Each structure stands twice: as structure tokens, then as C-alpha cells.
Amino acid sequence: MTEPPLRNVSLSERLRAHLAIARLDHSIKNLFVLPGVIVPLSVYPALFTPHLLITLLLAFVAVTLVACSNYVINEVLDAPFDRLHPTKRNRPAALGLVNIPAAYVQWLLMMVAGIAVGLTISHMFALVALVLWIMGCLYNFPPIRTKDVPYLDVLTESINNPLRMLLGWYAVTSVLVPPVSLLIAYWMLGCYFMGLKRFSELSEIGDRAVAGAYRASFKRYTPESLLVSVVFYASTAMLFLGAFIIRYRIELILGFPLVAFTMAVYLKLAFKHDSAVQNPEKLYREPLLMTSFASTAIVMGLLLFIRIPRLELFFTPTLPSTTPAVAQPAPISYTPPGFEHQRLRIHAKI
């Protein structure tokens, strides 16, 4: 393992390096919080109040602090490996610009600050934020260090997607239960993106020996095995997204072609040289992807608030039931379509 170059670093340069390893530019990933905000609001619009805007601002600060804490430790622990990567060798920690003891303090302080802000929102929010931080530790710290284990690296890093969604959800309400089907779909969609990132990285490096030295999981990966896993992730994501749509909001099926198109555009990007797929914070430079993503987000968001009864009739089952029909008692109270009240919180169904 190569050592960082010996160099004199000024205080201002050191401070810039410590700011850089927090990767504030990666905060774009916190947009994954938004579905967790929009879905409960589509069920109970009354949850939207002026106070909620302040809560969401605090939630964004809390999520950013916890995520940045994970980025700090990732940069510190990955520095010896980053020096073997053609572009990541220029990261501050890999260049020896970071004071390692100070970085560990930075890591802990950002986590404590994030959890403290989260506690002002709700205990459930703070708990999920803590789980997000713990997953970062499992991903980066030996002897577990899941990032070195093929497939487990993708699964554990992508679990941050449903965790971010839960953070958005618990910033809005702790009464409604997030559907398990939506959480799994969100998780598998993240695996799809992360699997393509691994594929793009491995293809870019080319030399399997160099790739394996940089990232241990690359010793077992091949481009073919990664693409096969990507098909699995995409299929599973769409299965559970379909389960959510049919069970909770059939109107969302109208936006599915846009979801599929966005996934196809992302797949094509993974084959490009020096692809932005390897650095998601640079995806905004891809106009077709951004247009497709924005259109998908807008359409799916609008469909959450639109009811089309004829669409439900169109998808009414046409085959006879295999079990005799049983008369159902009249409901005692109104339940908004798609979600249970607090009395059923512990029984979330797929």
C-alpha cells in the first residue's frame, strides 16, 4: 500500500481539505428523502402546515450532517486504496492533506450534531438517522467492512435509500406506516444504480489486478456478473413497485413508462468512458438523464394526488375467484385509501 507524500500544508489548505472530505456536493443524494415526504402528504394533505416547512429544513440539515459524517470516515479509511485509483488518488486524504486525528473528531462531531438536530424532530427520525450512521460504519470499518464483499457492498450501501425515505416520512408523520413494498422497491432501485456504478468503475479501470487492489470486491466481480446482478435488482425493484402501485395508488402505473425510460438512460450512461455514473454528484451534467428524471418525478408526484376511478375499473380482475366470496361488514369509520391508521402501525403489509 502506497504512503501519502510528505508535504507541508498550510492551515487554510488543511481546512479546505477537511471541508472537502465532508463532500457537501454529494448532498444532492438527499433528494431521495422527498418520496418519504410526498407519499404521506398525498394521503393526509392536512399534514402540510407552515411548521412542516421548518421541520423539513431541520430534517435536511440532520440528514446532511449524518451523511457527511459517513463521507468523512469513508475518505479517511479509503485513502490507502484511493491512491491506487486513477482519479480518486487526487482526493484530499489520499494526498495527505487531512489531519487524521482531527478527521476522526470531525466524523464524530458531525454525527452527534445530526442526531441532536434529529431529536428536535422526533425520536423515530433520530433513530433512523442513527441507523444510517451505523450502516456507514459497517460499510467502512474492518473487520466487517461490507464494501469489500461482493454483492453485500451494493446491498448495504443501497440500504441508505429506504433509510433516507424513512427520514422524510418521519419528518412528516409518525402516525402512518410506510408500505414495505415501497421501501423494498426503493432499496432495489438503489442497488440498480449502485450495481451500474460498480460496472462502470470496473470497466473504466480495465486491469482486474489494479481494480482488485483498489477495491477488494472487484477481485470477485466481472462485468458480466455485475450486469446480471443489475437485471436482478431492476426486476425486483419493479416487482415491488408494481405491488405498491396495485395495492395503494393504481394511478402511478401511468408514470411507469417514464420510470423505465429513466432506468434505460442510466444503463446507457454506464457504458460511457469516464461516466458520470461513477460520480453521482456529477449526473446533473447529463441533460437527457436530468430531463427524464425531472419528468418522472413531476409526473409520479402529481399522480399521487390524482384519482382516476375508471383506471381502477380497467384493472378489475377478470378471472373468477378460487375462493367463495364472503360478505364483508360495513366499515365503521373512513380509512384513507392505501394506508392504515395508527392502530395498525405494527402490521405493515406488502
Side-chain angles (χ1 to χ4, degrees):
M1 202 68 67
T2 58
E3 296 296 327
L6 296 175
R7 55 189 301 179
N8 294 321
V9 181
S10 66
L11 178 60
S12 61
E13 191 175 12
R14 184 82 74 187
L15 290 175
R16 286 196 299 271
H18 279 267
L19 180 62
I21 65 174
R23 301 182 191 173
L24 288 171
D25 57 329
H26 285 230
S27 297
I28 188 68
K29 296 178 182 178
N30 291 335
L31 290 176
F32 286 106
V33 169
L34 290 180
V37 173
I38 296 172
V39 173
L41 287 177
S42 71
V43 179
Y44 281 144
L47 291 170
F48 184 80
T49 63
H51 177 70
L52 178 61
L53 296 177
I54 299 175
T55 301
L56 293 178
L57 178 61
L58 291 174
F60 182 82
V61 171
V63 175
T64 300
L65 286 169
V66 173
C68 288
S69 173
N70 285 339
Y71 291 138
V72 167
I73 203 62
N74 177 278
E75 181 110 3
V76 170
L77 295 178
D78 275 7
F81 306 99
D82 287 343
R83 295 182 193 111
L84 303 174
H85 192 275
T87 57
K88 293 182 180 180
R89 66 178 64 175
N90 296 316
R91 285 179 170 177
L95 291 173
L97 301 177
V98 173
N99 182 291
I100 301 302
Y104 276 100
V105 173
Q106 179 183 0
W107 165 60
L108 290 173
L109 286 179
M110 296 186 85
M111 179 274 293
V112 171
I115 301 300
V117 174
L119 284 170
T120 66
I121 298 172
S122 73
H123 286 87
M124 283 301 300
F125 182 96
L127 177 61
V128 176
L130 179 60
V131 173
L132 179 65
W133 183 78
I134 291 173
M135 290 306 300
C137 294
L138 295 177
Y139 185 72
N140 288 290
F141 277 101
I144 299 176
R145 195 170 164 83
T146 60
K147 73 187 308 175
D148 289 339
V149 183
Y151 306 110
L152 189 59
D153 61 337
V154 170
L155 291 168
T156 53
E157 183 167 5
S158 299
I159 198 71
N160 293 341
N161 274 20
L163 288 175
R164 281 187 169 96
M165 179 180 175
L166 283 174
L167 287 166
W169 192 284
Y170 289 125
V172 175
T173 178
S174 58
V175 174
L176 299 177
V177 182
V180 176
S181 53
L182 184 58
L183 292 174
I184 295 178
Y186 217 47
W187 181 21
M188 289 296 105
L189 191 61
C191 289
Y192 171 81
F193 293 138
M194 187 53 58
L196 285 176
K197 178 182 178 182
R198 293 282 184 270
F199 168 79
S200 182
E201 286 177 330
L202 184 57
S203 301
E204 188 76 21
I205 296 174
D207 190 319
R208 290 285 301 281
V210 174
Y214 157 65
R215 187 182 292 277
S217 62
F218 282 165
K219 296 176 182 178
R220 302 268 308 273
Y221 278 140
T222 64
E224 293 78 10
S225 67
L226 282 167
L227 286 179
V228 169
S229 70
V230 163
V231 172
F232 171 82
Y233 300 139
S235 302
T236 307
M238 294 305 99
L239 170 66
F240 282 94
L241 178 60
F244 170 76
I245 289 174
I246 296 299
R247 175 66 177 85
Y248 293 103
R249 187 70 68 173
I250 190 65
E251 288 79 8
L252 290 174
I253 203 168
L254 297 177
F256 181 82
L258 286 172
V259 174
F261 181 74
T262 301
M263 294 176 68
V265 172
Y266 199 88
L267 174 63
K268 184 177 180 180
L269 284 178
F271 288 88
K272 290 179 59 176
H273 171 67
D274 194 23
S275 172
V277 168
Q278 299 177 44
N279 301 284
E281 70 278 5
K282 298 180 180 179
L283 287 172
Y284 70 90
R285 301 175 182 176
E286 299 292 339
L288 179 60
L289 179 67
M290 288 296 97
T291 301
S292 175
F293 176 79
S295 301
T296 302
I298 292 171
V299 169
M300 296 295 275
L302 290 175
L303 289 173
L304 280 169
F305 295 89
I306 297 174
R307 301 296 295 174
I308 307 176
R310 288 186 177 274
L311 193 61
E312 296 182 11
L313 293 174
F314 183 79
F315 285 97
T316 299
T318 57
L319 295 177
S321 174
T322 57
T323 57
V326 178
Q328 298 293 326
I332 297 175
S333 59
Y334 172 72
T335 301
F339 295 92
E340 309 293 341
H341 281 99
Q342 187 173 11
R343 54 189 167 81
L344 296 180
R345 289 180 63 195
I346 62 174
H347 300 294
K349 298 180 179 179
I350 293 178

